[in-house]
Amino acid sequence: MLFWTREEYTKFSEAMMDKPLSFYAFEVLYWCGIREGELLALTPADFDFEKRTLTINKSYQRLNKQDIITTPKTPKSNRVIQIPQFLCDELQDYLKQLYGVEPDSRMFPISKSYLYREMDRGCKQAGVKRIRIHDLRHSHISLLIDMGFTALAIAERVGHESIDITYRYAHLFPTRQVEMADKLDSLKNEKGA
């Protein structure tokens, strides 16, 4: 599993700033940890900028040259996530740049292959390792783990079962294991003293 550190993502995002559509798409993927299909289905109506929330309730795919909007991957994938204020501000700026956008218009009317090409371009320009689009989701999760959030809280945000997060990302929790053992030692020593 590949992921970017925050520093790698920052280099990449700076390289993407010349194309607002690409820049904002990658911002949402990295800072919200949503799936590619969920991103491509987003509409302005999915955002509540006052409450700073994003509702995930659909996914986009292209089948037989048709745009198809479906329900998300799993029942847990239907969720409302809090988004940081800076991202609310960025997305409001982005929406002002769109011509004739309706509440139910796709905000990112692009294809998965467009994102793939932009990922290639940004990685080359920024000099960061090439990861898959889906690895931005892993990058978001690893950032949250690094920030000390629990598997349960992270799972709720990204629409997973917490057990999945715990097993798939256990290798990112090693310091947590040491910290747990040290706290157990402290507890035992307090009581035993």
Side-chain angles (χ1 to χ4, degrees), residues 43-94:
T43 65
D46 295 325
F47 291 89
D48 182 329
F49 292 116
E50 286 191 15
K51 290 182 182 167
R52 294 179 22 210
T53 61
L54 167 57
T55 300
I56 303 295
N57 58 11
K58 57 192 168 299
S59 188
Y60 167 89
Q61 44 190 320
R62 186 136 176 100
L63 297 171
N64 303 323
K65 298 181 184 174
Q66 297 265 325
D67 291 342
I68 310 287
I69 303 291
T70 61
T71 55
K73 188 176 175 185
T74 68
K76 279 245 183 218
S77 299
N78 279 300
R79 62 204 186 278
V80 176
I81 59 174
Q82 288 291 144
I83 56 176
Q85 185 61 52
F86 76 84
L87 190 60
C88 288
D89 298 343
E90 287 180 357
L91 291 170
Q92 286 175 301
D93 289 345
Y94 171 63

Side-chain angles (χ1 to χ4, degrees), residues 109-160:
I110 53 178
S111 64
K112 290 182 179 186
S113 60
Y114 172 89
L115 281 175
Y116 183 91
R117 287 191 307 274
E118 285 296 276
M119 179 66 99
D120 278 345
R121 179 178 76 86
C123 289
K124 283 185 186 118
Q125 217 170 305
V128 295
K129 68 180 173 276
R130 173 65 161 90
I131 62 174
R132 300 170 307 155
I133 305 292
H134 189 73
D135 291 328
L136 287 168
R137 187 168 159 82
H138 300 311
S139 300
H140 180 70
I141 292 168
S142 65
L143 175 67
L144 296 177
I145 290 169
D146 199 46
M147 292 173 74
F149 291 101
T150 66
L152 184 63
I154 295 168
E156 193 176 287
R157 181 173 181 82
V158 299
H160 269 190

